[in-house]
Structure formats: structure tokens, C-alpha cells
Amino acid sequence: MIERKIRLTDTEEVKDFVRAAGKCDFDIDVCYNRAVIDAKSLLGMLYLGICKDLIVKYGEQDECFEHIMNKYAVA
């Protein structure tokens, strides 16, 4: 299981992230505190809010999705 931290700062970044997650054929979970949301759900991702450090958990790799993860990664 791969675990990375990201931060999305506006709704366009959320849409970009959800679009990339939707192209993956494996499950991707996004966690904030005790909430766990499917990364492919736009409403779920907007529910988590923006400008927060989110933990993304996924079990497989996809080149396009890794590019998005690197784009929004928090050091």
C-alpha cells in the first residue's frame, strides 16, 4: 500500500485530481482525520475541503496518476 500526502488549494485542483483518479482501474482512498473518501468522487473530495493535508492511499501505480501525485505532493 502506497501512502502519500497532498494538498489541494482550489476546486480546479480537486477536479484535476479526481479526473486523474477516475482514469485508474484500482481503488484510491483519501483520508483526513477519521474520514475516508473515494478519490474518484468529486463530491466526496469537495466535502473534505481544500487547503488541508490529505493522505492518499493506493495499492497500484499508474504513470499519469503518479504525475498528479507529484504535482500536489506536500514535502
Side-chain angles (χ1 to χ4, degrees):
M1 177 73 54
I2 301 167
E3 226 177 89
R4 300 198 45 201
K5 189 184 291 189
I6 64 166
R7 180 179 296 145
L8 304 171
T9 57
D10 62 29
T11 56
E12 289 304 315
E13 290 183 358
V14 173
K15 289 179 188 176
D16 187 35
F17 177 80
V18 171
R19 196 174 305 117
K23 294 178 182 176
C24 298
D25 61 351
F26 49 88
D27 291 334
I28 305 168
D29 292 328
V30 180
C31 309
Y32 180 74
N33 289 338
R34 298 174 84 185
V36 179
I37 302 293
D38 182 358
K40 299 174 185 180
S41 167
L42 180 59
L43 289 177
M45 290 298 296
L46 290 172
Y47 164 77
L48 287 181
I50 55 175
C51 297
K52 297 177 183 173
D53 288 350
L54 306 172
I55 304 296
V56 181
K57 297 180 182 182
Y58 52 104
E60 298 180 39
Q61 290 187 323
D62 176 82
E63 187 176 325
C64 179
F65 187 67
E66 288 299 322
H67 174 72
I68 292 295
M69 290 300 297
N70 291 333
K71 184 176 177 181
Y72 300 119
V74 175

